[in-house]
Amino acid sequence: MRFAYRRCALVVALSTTALVGLATPAFAEGVAEEQASDATVDPNEIIVSARRRDETLQDTPIAITAVNAAMIENKAAINLGDLMGAAPNLIITNQNSGAAAANLSIRGLTYADIEKSQEPTVGVVVDGIFIGTSTGQYFDFFDIEQIEVLRGPQGTLFGRNTIGGVINIRRSRPTGEFGAKIEASYGRFNTLATRAVINVPLAGDTLAAKVFYFHNEADGWYKQAQTGKPRGFSNNENYGGSLLFKAPGGNFDALITVEQQEQKMDPVVAEITKTGELFCTFIPANECNRNQTTDIYTVFGLPNVSLYKAPSVTGEMNLDLGGVKLTSVTGYRKMTETQTQDFDGSTADLYYVLRQQTYDQFSQELRAAGKIGDSFDYVVGGYYFRSKYQLQQWTRLFAFNPAIAPEVFDTNPQQVNGKTTSYAFFGDFNWQFADQWRLSFGGRFTRDRKTLRNAFGGVQIGQGSDTFKKFTPKVGIDFRPNDDMMLYASWSRGFRSGGFSPRAGSPASASRSYQPETVDSYEVGGKFELFDRKLQFNIAAFYSKYKDLQQNTTLFCGVCATQNETVTSNVGSATIKGLELDFTARPAEGLRITGSLGLLDSKFKGFVVGGISPVTGLVIPFDFSNNDLIYNPDVTASIAADYEVPTSFGKVVANVGYRYIGRYDQQISTNTLTGNLTTGPVVVTGNDPRVRTDPQGLLDASLSARFTIGDDTEAYLTVFGRNLANDRGMTHGFTVGGLWSFATAREPRTYGVTLGVKM
């Protein structure tokens, strides 16, 4: 029994539950097609809902990038990751330790953790529903009306855990007319995708339905070293339907969507362990000291499988009372995951896990929007959110026998149970207090109640419960000297809620909460339309003060076999400064050129935590203030062009784009150590270079021939290529306390063809 407990404590110290690291013109044509019949609407005008009200992009005094369905089609984009680099200071990578999980960073703010008890810093909102965990955020892009990337804290209208920003996704609604969009594509790595959306009227203008089905499968771009066969397969399904009711008279509508996501995948990792790390003692020499670019596409590890199901229901109701519009948004989502993963990534059986977990969330938002006179408008409301989380993990540690199932080897599996209940009240107001001048202000009060229970083999290690409350205000002012220019300045505060450590190994740490982290963001910007609106140019500069950072740290643990444990605590602060530019130019008929530039400069302050002395093996102070923040590239940039040429059969559309993402680190880790290595403080001179990506230059292109068939039908043939320069390297790298290190690779050059029809 004593040996089992010590082994469990060792598993905790190895981070058992996750192995984690730590006002822009849009690229969209807006709603031009559906508004074309309104002669008073500029066809290039972009309508966004970033502030829970419909506004033109150039009238919205925040930094925002919008991407609509037409742009997504022209780029042959397939999922959320294709947005990376297209908007300034936006990083999106796929985290395969969780199903459909995303690591998101906006303006240098991120928290790359797939644990359900650890919440993200960037909110993903789908049809008004906030997804409370990074799992399930990596969305397919087929049935999308518009995507809005809101940069900077969005705590007033979108709530806690949006300190970096929000990715607001709006899917298409039933049209009320017979119609369909169906396509199939095939590409490199045996990638096959079939997608369909069908609209059906049911009762005239009153009742309409939409059904959809998406399928995407691929063999993966890794190669198994022993057999030469592909690894990293995935098979994704998303299907469901929507029903839209519109009352006669048009003052009430109700939309309900029922759907299910399913995923089966191989969460493979590549070996980047080096000499000096413990695991190199046990694995073959050719599997150690591999590079982080071309080598990581060859893997050695054992087979894995991840199974994921997520049914969900979303309901939205709108009631227009004349001067006031009332909106109700209700959402329920349940996630079930079973995943095995060979984290050491070698032919030796050293660290293999089986994770089974469930998560469900329910949310309800009620809000009212209206105007008082001609100079004052508002959005006010209330919000309720509840989530529950259960994890059971079996770990096969140093078994050297893949034939033994983890649930047989580990007789004391780790168990984590958590619950969150949140209430909020918010208000957002615009007051045009003088000609050409407008004051925007608002705030949100949030109260969270969280509990978490840690156990091994049914024996409770510890349990904690705490309440976190915060008011997050914002204020801004904008000035429009003429119809083609807006200048603005704002201050906003965001907070990421506190919680408990899922990897704690002692009763004291398991019951001790970490506190919220906050960001104060100061921003100035301008939005300009020049040359008879042929050029839109926007600029924003910001300064963010990041306080009470939540970070996984190593602390002394007298009751643990390893004498230390991994806990989450508040450490230090940081400052992040940045500049963002982007533009849309239409220099000639059918030609559109878009571009963006994001610059970041960030620095830690007072980041001192417990670390393991390389001399004594005891926990002593380590100063990480000289390390780089993770997911903070100095530069992100993009340039793209669309050219549309009318033809006798319809039109041809060409798209070419280049995205540059500077190097960035993916984990707070140790490199060279100076200072007092015996008693501390030890000064860390930077993160381990193995968790740093190389600069990325991603060249994408597509060419579409669109054939007009009758009045209402269009067929299209698209050939596409992504990462045509075959820029290879990591998306994620992680080192585990001097034991071993692993990585995942980004998609290499790929290409394919798509056939589709819209009617």
Side-chain angles (χ1 to χ4, degrees):
M1 180 68 182
R2 184 179 180 185
F3 171 77
Y5 178 77
R6 288 188 174 183
R7 189 173 65 79
C8 290
L10 174 61
V11 173
V12 173
L14 293 176
S15 305
T16 57
T17 58
L19 297 172
V20 298
L22 230 286
T24 37
F27 305 148
E29 298 279 345
V31 290
E33 290 185 7
E34 66 183 62
Q35 294 178 338
S37 61
D38 186 347
T40 65
V41 175
D42 186 333
N44 294 323
E45 204 77 88
I46 301 159
I47 308 300
V48 297
S49 58
R51 299 197 301 162
R52 302 297 200 190
R53 43 168 81 80
D54 290 338
E55 303 173 290
T56 67
L57 180 72
Q58 296 301 96
D59 283 337
T60 306
I62 63 173
I64 176 175
T65 298
V67 183
N68 80 336
M71 175 56 76
I72 292 170
E73 286 184 5
N74 290 346
K75 288 171 59 67
I78 59 173
N79 57 43
L80 195 68
D82 291 317
L83 286 179
M84 186 170 77
N89 294 322
L90 172 66
I91 301 296
I92 304 174
T93 62
N94 184 219
Q95 167 63 280
N96 74 0
S97 295
N103 291 337
L104 302 173
S105 174
I106 296 179
R107 290 185 171 179
L109 296 176
T110 188
Y111 193 82
D113 197 323
I114 54 88
E115 290 306 320
K116 305 298 187 295
S117 58
Q118 309 279 47
E119 297 170 309
T121 56
V122 174
V124 174
V125 177
V126 182
D127 293 339
I129 303 300
F130 170 77
I131 298 178
T133 172
S134 62
T135 302
Q137 291 182 338
Y138 212 68
F139 260 77
D140 188 289
F141 269 3
F142 186 64
D143 184 30
I144 300 296
E145 179 181 285
Q146 188 158 287
I147 299 172
E148 300 164 6
V149 180
L150 287 59
R151 303 192 296 278
Q154 305 296 325
T156 301
L157 289 173
F158 290 93
R160 74 199 204 294
N161 306 330
T162 57
I163 61 176
V166 167
I167 298 178
N168 188 27
I169 301 173
R170 288 167 25 202
R171 295 180 292 187
S172 69
R173 295 163 67 93
T175 64
E177 299 178 354
F178 281 109
K181 179 182 177 183
I182 302 169
E183 71 174 34
S185 64
Y186 184 79
R188 193 183 181 195
F189 310 115
N190 204 26
T191 301
L192 173 66
T194 55
R195 304 180 177 101
V197 177
I198 300 174
N199 279 279
V200 180
L202 298 179
D205 296 330
T206 303
L207 195 61
K210 178 189 78 172
V211 294
F212 55 89
Y213 172 77
F214 314 145
H215 171 83
N216 192 8
E217 65 178 76
D219 288 344
W221 50 75
Y222 297 92
K223 180 178 74 173
Q224 186 74 27
Q226 299 94 316
T227 64
K229 293 183 178 181
R231 284 289 304 275
F233 76 86
S234 63
N235 189 312
N236 303 297
E237 311 274 354
N238 187 302
Y239 51 90
S242 298
L243 194 65
L244 176 63
F245 170 77
K246 292 184 178 181
N251 66 332
F252 175 78
D253 65 77
L255 173 69
I256 184 169
T257 299
V258 179
E259 66 177 309
Q260 176 150 305
Q261 288 180 280
E262 297 181 8
Q263 182 182 65
K264 182 178 181 181
M265 69 170 181
D266 173 16
V268 66
V269 299
E271 180 66 77
I272 57 171
T273 302
K274 69 176 182 180
T275 300
E277 291 181 304
L278 176 64
F279 281 21
C280 258
T281 307
F282 301 99
I283 65 179
N286 68 312
E287 297 177 26
C288 282
N289 303 307
R290 299 177 65 78
N291 68 42
Q292 289 84 61
T293 53
T294 55
D295 283 352
I296 59 176
Y297 292 84
T298 299
V299 297
F300 301 89
L302 302 173
N304 318 294
V305 66
S306 174
L307 302 174
Y308 169 74
K309 287 187 178 182
S312 66
V313 181
T314 302
E316 178 184 329
M317 294 185 291
N318 296 285
L319 176 62
D320 190 343
L321 299 177
V324 179
K325 181 180 179 181
L326 303 179
T327 299
S328 168
V329 182
T330 309
Y332 174 78
R333 176 181 295 263
K334 182 176 182 179
M335 305 179 189
T336 303
E337 297 175 67
T338 298
Q339 179 163 318
T340 59
Q341 192 156 18
D342 182 10
F343 274 115
D344 63 84
S346 70
T347 53
D349 181 34
L350 303 177
Y351 191 88
Y352 193 90
V353 302
L354 166 62
R355 291 163 56 86
Q356 292 181 347
Q357 54 190 321
T358 61
Y359 171 91
D360 68 86
Q361 68 170 66
F362 172 82
S363 63
Q364 174 64 58
E365 179 171 290
L366 297 172
R367 63 178 184 265
K371 296 186 68 175
I372 301 175
D374 295 329
S375 60
F376 190 89
D377 67 81
Y378 63 88
V379 176
V380 296
Y383 179 76
Y384 169 78
F385 177 90
R386 187 271 304 152
S387 67
K388 293 181 180 180
Y389 163 51
Q390 292 181 323
L391 165 72
Q392 188 158 242
Q393 174 169 312
W394 293 267
T395 302
R396 193 172 66 217
L397 182 64
F398 293 113
F400 302 102
N401 186 354
I404 303 177
E407 61 269 35
V408 175
F409 181 87
D410 189 355
T411 58
N412 291 280
Q414 183 183 12
Q415 295 149 338
V416 180
N417 292 271
K419 181 179 180 180
T420 297
T421 304
S422 179
Y423 302 88
F425 301 94
F426 58 88
D428 189 79
F429 311 94
N430 288 327
W431 176 34
Q432 186 171 341
F433 62 91
D435 188 31
Q436 301 174 321
W437 291 88
R438 182 173 56 173
L439 179 68
S440 301
F441 59 97
R444 187 183 189 105
F445 175 79
T446 303
R447 180 186 183 275
D448 286 355
R449 181 71 176 174
K450 291 191 176 183
T451 61
L452 196 72
R453 176 183 177 271
N454 292 16
F456 277 91
V459 178
Q460 181 171 304
I461 298 297
Q463 178 172 327
S465 181
D466 204 349
T467 298
F468 311 98
K469 294 182 274 189
K470 201 73 175 177
F471 177 68
T472 50
K474 76 159 201 177
V475 63
I477 191 168
D478 60 81
F479 170 60
R480 294 199 67 119
N482 56 57
D483 291 340
D484 298 326
M485 180 186 302
M486 181 177 72
L487 307 175
Y488 69 91
S490 67
W491 164 73
S492 60
R493 174 172 293 166
F495 96 104
R496 182 164 169 262
S497 188
F500 294 87
S501 303
R503 306 175 185 87
S506 66
S509 295
S511 60
R512 183 173 57 245
S513 64
Y514 56 87
Q515 297 304 299
E517 57 184 15
T518 61
V519 171
D520 285 282
S521 180
Y522 305 85
E523 180 175 329
V524 294
K527 300 190 174 187
F528 308 91
E529 295 182 297
L530 307 173
F531 309 115
D532 194 25
R533 297 193 172 185
K534 289 184 172 61
L535 173 65
Q536 292 178 329
F537 173 79
N538 295 346
I539 182 171
F542 64 90
Y543 174 79
S544 298
K545 297 178 67 175
Y546 193 7
K547 302 176 184 177
D548 300 319
L549 279 70
Q550 296 169 9
Q551 177 64 41
N552 294 326
T553 60
T554 302
L555 301 175
F556 177 74
C557 176
V559 299
C560 300
T562 58
Q563 298 295 291
N564 63 80
E565 60 182 337
T566 300
V567 302
T568 307
S569 57
N570 298 94
V571 296
S573 62
T575 58
I576 305 174
K577 297 176 286 186
L579 181 69
E580 297 170 341
L581 312 169
D582 61 9
F583 71 89
T584 298
R586 297 175 177 84
E589 183 71 25
L591 176 63
R592 179 180 56 184
I593 302 172
T594 60
S596 69
L597 173 67
L599 305 176
L600 281 178
D601 180 28
S602 58
K603 184 175 179 58
F604 282 123
K605 182 179 180 181
F607 190 166
V608 180
V609 299
I612 305 298
S613 166
V615 177
T616 67
L618 300 177
V619 177
I620 61 175
F622 272 53
D623 188 346
F624 287 86
S625 299
N626 292 323
N627 288 40
D628 291 333
L629 276 71
I630 62 174
Y631 293 91
N632 268 249
D634 292 341
V635 179
T636 57
S638 69
I639 185 74
D642 288 321
Y643 188 46
E644 182 179 305
V645 180
T647 66
S648 59
F649 56 79
K651 59 185 175 182
V652 173
V653 181
N655 174 274
V656 62
Y658 178 79
R659 296 173 286 155
Y660 174 84
I661 300 100
R663 61 171 56 91
Y664 59 88
D665 293 355
Q666 302 130 25
Q667 180 199 6
I668 301 298
S669 53
T670 58
N671 189 14
T672 304
L673 304 179
T674 61
N676 190 327
L677 303 185
T678 303
T679 61
V682 175
V683 177
V684 183
T685 59
N687 297 317
D688 190 311
R690 289 173 298 163
V691 301
R692 182 175 304 124
T693 68
D694 58 320
Q696 301 176 46
L698 305 177
L699 178 64
D700 309 314
S702 67
L703 182 66
S704 295
R706 299 184 175 273
F707 302 86
T708 301
I709 305 173
D711 295 332
D712 301 317
T713 303
E714 179 188 71
Y716 53 94
L717 170 67
T718 301
V719 292
F720 61 87
R722 292 191 300 273
N723 190 13
L724 291 173
N726 202 28
D727 189 327
R728 295 188 171 218
M730 295 192 306
T731 62
H732 183 69
F734 196 83
T735 66
V736 188
L739 301 177
W740 86 100
S741 304
F742 61 90
T744 56
R746 60 180 172 261
E747 182 184 49
R749 179 191 295 123
T750 189
Y751 40 79
V753 60
T754 298
L755 292 171
V757 61
K758 290 191 290 187
M759 60 185 73

